[in-house]
Amino acid sequence: MLHVFSECWRPSSCDAGSRKCFRTIWYSAVMLLTVLITANSARSAPDASGVVKQARAGKSSQADKSASSQSNGNKGVGTHVDLKRSEHLVDPNQLESLFNTESLSALLNHRDDALRERDLSAGYFVPAQAFGNLVTQLSPARAWLSKRGYTFQFAYKGEALANVSGGLSRGMSYAHELTWVNNFDLGKLLGLDGWILHGVLMERAGRQISFDHVGERRILLSEVYSLSGHMAAHLADFYVEKAFRRNSININLGRITLTHTYGTSLLLCTFMIQCSAPVGIKGVQGWSVYPKATWGGTIRLRPTRDLTLRTGVYASSVLTSNPSGWAWGSEKQTGVMLPIELTWEPFIGPRKLPGHYKLGFGHDTSGFADMIGSVPSSMALRYAVQRPQPRDTFYIEADQMIYRSHGLHQMAGGYLMAGYIHNTPQVSVFSDQFYIGTSLLGIIPFRPLDRFGVMYSYYQISKRLTLGQHLLQDAGLPFPAGVNNPQTHTATLEAYYGIPVVPGVLLQPSFEYQMRPGETSVIPNATVIGLKVIGNL
């Protein structure tokens, strides 16, 4: 099947035959869906999920008591974050394992089963990290709608950033997003049991401080600035979801944002620069990022209790195409994106400290131009422009909780995190990126629910791109717009301090320092300070 996709989406065949290629993808998706439905209707092995849950509950009783006593000692601090264990055991995004065993985790906790209480990726259709809701008066209406098959979330996220030294100039830029997340239970609404329809509408407006005052064109220092400019109502996600084989296999089909499924985590999205995925991933075509969604689907399964595998097929198109998200016919697909990600999720020690270790790969069959660009005619014999070729992306990401505080959910504690991304250098602006950081809960004793984060990230420009710019310089020709010298590398340092004010409202002062803005030494290092405000209706 992958061979068919690759052949179908060669650049040479993506003009007159594009409609045929598109039909091929969706016929294959329908076949995959049919196979899964057939497998679901077939007789499966006896269900041991109840026994497994009882075993987990019994073996974790001491941890539950410890966490409960810790929470009771902080009454009135913020019950909206102190979640009960039972809320996670019924999480619909939690997948049951295909086999009642573990992989490498068996070597760490050979006497205890891992606590599979929450899939960390499950929160990705809630666009903010402000726990709870601001308008509690809507709770009865929410409950009434939920019983009838509809749930929603409406959130505001605003970012005001000011460049106070270095860069191009001093000044402030503001950007915001309004996000309306809709979930329709098609079982309650239409009798299609197990099917859920997700739709995300988004309004974004404002200015990008990277462009206005810092002099950086390749890295967005403000998270919510839109790639497609101001738009009243982007259609970001629109897809259906279904679980099969006793909730051990999950599929998504429709228009989906890849970087809310692959290469991401809730921890990364507490930062501005790396949300929702590292720049080395979300900055290239194929890895669509909010508000850009693309046609395709993902299948997700948990082979063992500590492993999650996800893979899919998606159309690849330029990130700035179809800026509204509604003009589906105007998108020109240039190829197919084939991502795959394996996640190991161990729980370490008596406090069951969770870790998430991801190994991912993506192959975009589109034909991308050589980053060397236009070679001056006087050097054409020595430096030939290579033919367009596909792009591969490899990444490894890890985060590990180092202490637990205020609850059993996976954000209740402090983490260390790191990652590395590599793209095909010949056809990618960023050939490499690595980052290291931490996200800590309650570092100030009398502020136990505040979260502090700091992250350093280094970005390597493709040497092929640097070579092309050197050739232009040697020939006395002008650089492309936004380039003031041959570009080599840059680095960013970001820190924040998140303060939950009331349930549903989060204030987050931030600090950013960019070294070598524009990936050269021409522009002075920039210091940016600001404030992010998140509110959930």
Side-chain angles (χ1 to χ4, degrees):
M1 184 179 292
L2 298 185
H3 174 72
V4 173
F5 289 144
S6 179
E7 289 296 321
C8 176
W9 285 99
R10 285 180 177 175
S12 60
S13 64
C14 274
D15 38 32
S18 60
R19 292 184 179 178
K20 180 179 179 181
C21 296
F22 190 80
R23 288 196 300 268
T24 301
I25 294 175
W26 284 104
Y27 289 162
S28 302
V30 172
M31 291 174 61
L32 174 62
L33 180 60
T34 303
V35 170
L36 291 174
I37 294 176
T38 303
N40 182 54
S41 61
R43 178 176 297 179
S44 59
D47 182 21
S49 60
V51 178
V52 173
K53 289 182 179 179
Q54 291 177 6
R56 296 176 191 167
K59 292 181 180 180
S60 62
S61 59
Q62 289 301 114
D64 291 345
K65 292 178 181 179
S66 174
S68 176
S69 63
Q70 182 182 13
S71 299
N72 291 335
N74 295 277
K75 291 181 179 179
V77 174
T79 56
H80 57 287
V81 180
D82 183 18
L83 301 176
K84 295 180 180 179
R85 181 175 185 270
S86 60
E87 296 178 12
H88 299 285
L89 290 178
V90 297
D91 185 347
N93 292 284
Q94 166 64 38
L95 289 177
E96 295 295 334
S97 60
L98 291 172
F99 301 99
N100 186 22
T101 185
E102 292 184 334
S103 62
L104 296 177
S105 298
L107 302 177
L108 300 175
N109 293 331
H110 61 283
R111 296 181 180 179
D112 296 310
D113 288 339
L115 296 177
R116 302 297 150 207
E117 293 188 289
R118 185 172 179 85
D119 198 349
L120 190 63
S121 63
Y124 258 93
F125 305 108
V126 178
Q129 293 77 48
F131 291 92
N133 297 103
L134 180 61
V135 184
T136 56
Q137 292 83 355
L138 290 177
S139 297
R142 288 177 178 273
W144 187 87
L145 290 170
S146 179
K147 290 180 180 179
R148 288 156 179 78
Y150 174 68
T151 59
F152 72 95
Q153 183 67 273
F154 185 78
Y156 162 85
K157 184 184 294 185
E159 297 172 347
L161 297 174
N163 184 37
V164 296
S165 71
L168 293 178
S169 61
R170 295 186 180 184
M172 176 179 289
S173 297
Y174 165 83
H176 76 259
E177 79 178 14
L178 299 173
T179 306
W180 185 17
V181 181
N182 302 271
N183 303 301
F184 300 89
D185 186 333
L186 299 184
K188 295 178 180 180
L189 293 170
L190 301 176
L192 301 175
D193 291 341
W195 288 92
I196 301 174
L197 173 64
H198 300 275
V200 178
L201 293 175
M202 179 178 292
E203 187 266 350
R204 281 184 166 184
R207 303 282 302 179
Q208 174 55 246
I209 193 169
S210 301
F211 305 162
D212 292 347
H213 301 292
V214 176
E216 172 60 47
R217 306 295 298 184
R218 304 192 185 279
I219 298 174
L220 302 183
L221 302 180
S222 173
E223 172 202 338
V224 303
Y225 178 79
S226 177
L227 291 169
S228 52
H230 309 307
M231 194 66 61
H234 296 268
L235 178 61
D237 285 333
F238 188 72
Y239 66 97
V240 291
E241 177 182 359
K242 179 71 167 71
F244 298 91
R245 293 190 62 86
R246 302 184 187 275
N247 199 35
S248 61
I249 299 175
N250 178 277
I251 64 167
N252 297 330
L253 291 172
R255 291 187 61 83
I256 304 175
T257 305
L258 263 73
T259 56
H260 280 195
T261 307
Y262 299 88
T264 187
S265 77
L266 289 175
L267 289 171
L268 278 175
C269 235
T270 60
F271 295 88
M272 290 191 191
I273 301 175
Q274 308 303 334
C275 182
S276 57
V279 174
I281 296 177
K282 67 180 180 180
V284 297
Q285 178 183 325
W287 297 100
S288 58
V289 59
Y290 264 178
K292 172 66 176 178
T294 187
W295 291 105
T298 279
I299 179 171
R300 184 167 61 103
L301 55 92
R302 192 186 295 275
T304 62
R305 291 193 298 273
D306 58 343
L307 290 179
T308 301
L309 177 67
R310 69 193 72 212
T311 187
V313 180
Y314 292 87
S316 176
S317 60
V318 179
L319 292 176
T320 55
S321 67
N322 185 14
S324 70
W326 298 93
W328 299 343
S330 68
E331 288 184 343
K332 181 179 181 181
Q333 283 79 32
T334 60
V336 169
M337 181 57 159
L338 305 171
I340 185 170
E341 179 181 290
L342 179 66
T343 305
W344 176 46
E345 300 172 289
F347 282 68
I348 299 176
R351 298 301 306 277
K352 305 297 183 183
L353 303 179
H356 309 86
Y357 299 83
K358 301 182 179 184
L359 185 64
F361 175 78
H363 177 73
D364 193 332
T365 65
S366 304
F368 296 101
D370 189 349
M371 293 306 300
I372 197 172
S374 299
V375 177
S377 57
S378 59
M379 306 174 185
L381 295 178
R382 184 177 179 184
Y383 300 98
V385 178
Q386 302 297 317
R387 296 177 56 187
Q389 69 176 62
R391 177 191 290 122
D392 293 328
T393 299
F394 165 83
Y395 61 90
I396 180 170
E397 296 179 322
D399 61 69
Q400 177 62 55
M401 183 182 283
I402 54 178
Y403 66 87
R404 185 178 289 281
S405 175
H406 289 83
L408 293 176
H409 57 95
Q410 295 207 30
M411 293 296 282
Y415 279 86
L416 296 179
M417 52 199 306
Y420 171 72
I421 300 97
H422 175 76
N423 295 305
T424 304
Q426 183 173 312
V427 293
S428 306
V429 173
F430 293 111
S431 61
D432 301 273
Q433 177 191 353
F434 77 82
Y435 65 86
I436 184 171
T438 186
S439 179
L440 307 176
L441 185 71
I443 62 173
I444 298 179
F446 57 88
R447 297 293 306 175
L449 301 181
D450 294 356
R451 181 172 291 276
F452 168 75
V454 60
M455 178 178 290
Y456 170 83
S457 186
Y458 174 88
Y459 315 84
Q460 178 65 53
I461 292 291
S462 166
K463 293 184 178 179
R464 193 72 175 172
L465 175 60
T466 305
L467 173 60
Q469 294 171 349
H470 274 296
L471 297 181
L472 293 177
Q473 186 180 51
D474 294 341
L477 299 176
F479 292 118
V483 178
N484 50 44
N485 223 26
Q487 299 173 305
T488 56
H489 64 277
T490 185
T492 57
L493 177 68
E494 179 181 354
Y496 70 84
Y497 190 83
I499 306 169
V501 181
V502 295
V505 176
L506 178 73
L507 297 181
Q508 186 167 300
S510 65
F511 169 86
E512 297 177 353
Y513 185 71
Q514 178 158 17
M515 292 147 270
R516 296 171 55 85
E519 294 72 52
T520 71
S521 59
V522 175
I523 302 175
N525 295 349
T527 301
V528 176
I529 60 174
L531 177 68
K532 175 160 70 174
V533 179
I534 298 175
N536 289 338
L537 182 64

